[in-house]
Amino acid sequence: MATPSTDKKNVEVLETEEDQAVSLAKYTANLSNQFCKERGAFSVVLSGGSLIKSLRKLLEPPYIDSIEWSKWHIFWLDERVVPKDHEDSNYKLANDGFLSKVPILPGNVYAINDKLSADGAAADYEARLKDLVNRNVIPLSEASGFPKFDLMLLGMGPDGHVASLFPGHPLLKENEKWVTFIKDSPKPPPERITFTFPVINSSAYIALVITGAGEAGAVQIALGKSQNSVKLPVQMVSPEGKLTWFLDKDAASKL
């Protein structure tokens, strides 16, 4: 069931998590085809949490054989400052559940430098993004001057956080850096790097993929008629391009 709410925002409520994964795979594959034709590349920003499991249908026919995987470039919305083989690593989660199963070129997978401190890793990741902009791998947004990724795949926490941008945190207001760091994350582990909202909102397409009843309260605040006057981080997601919410029935249960 699709419920368009504005020209730039679309809400899809799927009966089950399985239906949600099927819909997300079709959406992602269509965008891959579009951008590979338009500019010969497709930049995809991954999140942690349940998002990687939600991409599992891309590992099956028809997508596994039809997608131009060699043109994909993979980035991370946020990452925990831990070794790549650590159980808290978003890289490890994505590699184990998705990247190791598709023929994406290793040189097109941009993980953080896990040998650096949080602030060093954030500065290094931003420098690498700027190099990719200079080499025309990632375009710049004409409107904002920030990098314009083709597709960002976002999850959301029960508190409405996205990336490592948490309710009430000063980093919500960061408007100059592309990548920043946090050392006091309210959710462990405490040290992380994260894209900032100007980068998130310069995207061509954003998918917010939310599953389960635990997130229903934050979904209600963001999309429903909740009386809550507090603005959640997820409500600050407002891309230049198009935003699609992919909700299963449980996540949408309070709408």
Side-chain angles (χ1 to χ4, degrees):
M1 170 175 80
T3 316
S5 40
T6 73
D7 290 340
K8 295 173 72 173
K9 181 168 71 179
N10 196 60
V11 180
E12 285 199 19
V13 179
L14 291 310
E15 188 68 20
T16 66
E17 189 275 336
E18 178 78 3
D19 294 335
Q20 181 189 46
V22 168
S23 182
L24 181 64
K26 183 177 179 182
Y27 165 90
T28 303
N30 286 343
L31 288 178
S32 175
N33 293 338
Q34 173 188 323
F35 282 102
C36 288
K37 283 192 184 117
E38 281 179 10
R39 61 184 206 88
F42 184 43
S43 60
V44 180
V45 179
L46 300 178
S47 304
S50 61
L51 186 275
I52 299 303
K53 183 187 172 197
S54 298
L55 295 176
R56 65 188 181 276
K57 295 297 178 183
L58 291 172
L59 305 175
E60 301 175 5
Y63 307 119
I64 188 70
D65 302 313
S66 62
I67 285 175
E68 293 184 84
W69 297 107
S70 64
K71 295 181 178 178
W72 279 43
H73 294 260
I74 298 289
F75 303 86
W76 274 267
L77 181 71
D78 66 327
E79 179 58 285
R80 290 83 179 271
V81 183
V82 295
K84 289 190 184 71
D85 59 358
H86 192 282
E87 62 179 17
D88 287 333
S89 165
N90 283 342
Y91 168 83
K92 176 175 168 54
L93 180 72
N95 192 59
D96 290 354
F98 180 62
L99 298 177
S100 63
K101 303 174 193 295
V102 291
I104 294 173
L105 301 176
N108 288 358
V109 176
Y110 306 93
I112 77 164
N113 185 336
D114 60 357
K115 305 289 191 289
L116 300 176
S117 62
D119 50 344
D124 175 76
Y125 208 66
E126 179 165 326
R128 288 161 67 201
L129 295 183
K130 288 182 173 174
D131 178 61
L132 292 167
V133 166
N134 290 338
R135 294 196 277 122
N136 295 317
V137 175
I138 310 168
L140 273 186
S141 160
E142 292 182 9
S144 72
F146 286 86
K148 188 178 187 76
F149 290 95
D150 299 330
L151 172 62
M152 286 203 183
L153 294 161
L154 273 60
M156 182 194 75
D159 60 354
H161 84 266
V162 293
S164 285
L165 299 165
F166 292 91
H169 198 281
L171 288 185
L172 297 177
K173 297 189 173 87
E174 174 60 58
N175 60 10
E176 294 181 4
K177 292 179 179 174
W178 295 10
V179 185
T180 189
F181 64 94
I182 178 171
K183 291 189 173 182
D184 58 352
S185 165
K187 181 181 172 187
E191 296 201 353
R192 301 151 174 249
I193 76 166
T194 182
F195 281 1
T196 58
F197 269 119
V199 172
I200 293 170
N201 287 334
S202 294
S203 302
Y205 291 86
I206 293 179
L208 262 167
V209 185
I210 304 171
T211 305
E215 275 75 15
V219 169
Q220 179 190 26
I221 292 169
L223 291 176
K225 296 183 168 58
S226 165
Q227 301 305 307
N228 194 317
S229 60
V230 177
K231 192 164 191 180
L232 300 179
V234 71
Q235 292 172 278
M236 297 171 65
V237 176
S238 180
E240 283 180 25
K242 186 166 183 183
L243 169 62
T244 302
W245 292 67
F246 290 87
L247 307 172
D248 71 351
K249 191 169 65 173
D250 290 341
S253 60
K254 294 186 178 179
L255 291 180

